[in-house]
């Protein structure tokens, strides 16, 4: 989880306010807090972790942008180990909204993006979780990226 969180957060520009460790801890707490959550194997656990990590990042971005906390006003952080900037939060929320819209059109494409992007899974791992062939995952990944590019490019 730490490796996947670090890989995601590494690409975020500017001042940071969410650390890799904090993201992993929040994801872990979300996973163990779910009473009915059980996983079959490592791939299934990583799929659930990717989903939990996405939810943590969405919640964080929303809190970060909330008007009661100053909305888009720049913040001065005392912590030396920061991550999700206002700019990145806006992009992240736009991506989440686009993924939710994609899920209404094609759930498997949305899950593919979630597993590959947020979960950092390989094509084979994603295929195992979704129960499809690796070639299907590759095609779905291409379709989803093209659709997201078109949707996010318009914004």
């Amino acid at each position: 989880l730490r490796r996947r969180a670090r890989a995601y957060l590494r690409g975020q520009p500017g001042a940071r306010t969410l650390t890799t460790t904090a993201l992993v801890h929040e994801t872990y707490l979300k996973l163990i807090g779910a009473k009915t959550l059980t996983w079959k194997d490592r791939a299934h656990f990583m799929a659930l972790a990717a989903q939990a990590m996405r939810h943590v990042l969405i919640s964080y971005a929303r809190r970060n942008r909330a008007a009661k906390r100053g909305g888009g006003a720049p913040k001065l952080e005392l912590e030396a180990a920061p991550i999700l900037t206002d700019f990145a939060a806006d992009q992240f929320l736009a991506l989440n909204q686009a993924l939710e819209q994609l899920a209404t059109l094609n759930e498997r494409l949305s899950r593919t993006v979630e597993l590959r992007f947020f979960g950092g899974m390989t094509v084979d791992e994603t295929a195992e979780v979704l129960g499809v062939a690796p070639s299907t995952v590759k095609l779905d990944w291409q379709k989803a990226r093209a659709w997201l590019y078109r949707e996010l490019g318009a914004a």
Side-chain angles (χ1 to χ4, degrees):
L1 289 178
R2 188 167 174 75
R3 187 178 76 237
R4 292 176 196 267
R6 187 180 310 118
Y8 175 73
L9 297 178
R10 185 180 304 127
Q12 301 300 322
R16 299 174 181 172
T17 57
L18 180 65
T19 66
T20 300
T21 302
L23 178 56
V24 171
H25 288 183
E26 289 295 323
T27 300
Y28 179 74
L29 289 173
K30 191 163 191 64
L31 287 171
I32 64 167
K35 301 290 184 218
T36 60
L37 189 64
T38 58
W39 50 84
K40 297 176 272 187
D41 53 22
R42 182 184 184 281
H44 188 231
F45 171 77
M46 294 310 291
L48 293 172
Q51 191 172 44
M53 192 172 292
R54 175 182 172 200
H55 290 154
V56 168
L57 288 166
I58 293 295
S59 296
Y60 182 80
R62 285 184 178 145
R63 277 194 313 267
N64 197 29
R65 302 299 294 160
K68 68 181 183 180
R69 290 182 175 80
K75 297 179 182 178
L76 296 175
E77 297 293 333
L78 298 177
E79 201 172 305
I83 160 178
L84 202 55
T85 65
D86 288 343
F87 178 72
D90 289 342
Q91 286 182 328
F92 189 75
L93 291 173
L95 173 62
N96 184 61
Q97 185 176 11
L99 279 176
E100 288 173 354
Q101 187 178 4
L102 179 59
T104 63
L105 301 172
N106 189 320
E107 179 68 27
R108 193 176 72 205
L109 292 182
S110 178
R111 288 284 292 148
T112 299
V113 172
E114 185 174 67
L115 295 171
R116 298 282 329 266
F117 182 75
F118 293 100
M121 291 186 169
T122 65
V123 170
D124 292 333
E125 290 170 333
T126 304
E128 182 182 338
V129 170
L130 295 177
V132 297
S135 59
T136 303
V137 171
K138 289 177 186 176
L139 289 172
D140 285 352
W141 181 236
Q142 286 179 333
K143 286 182 206 174
R145 286 187 351 205
W147 189 89
L148 288 169
Y149 180 77
R150 188 184 75 224
E151 289 297 311
L152 296 173

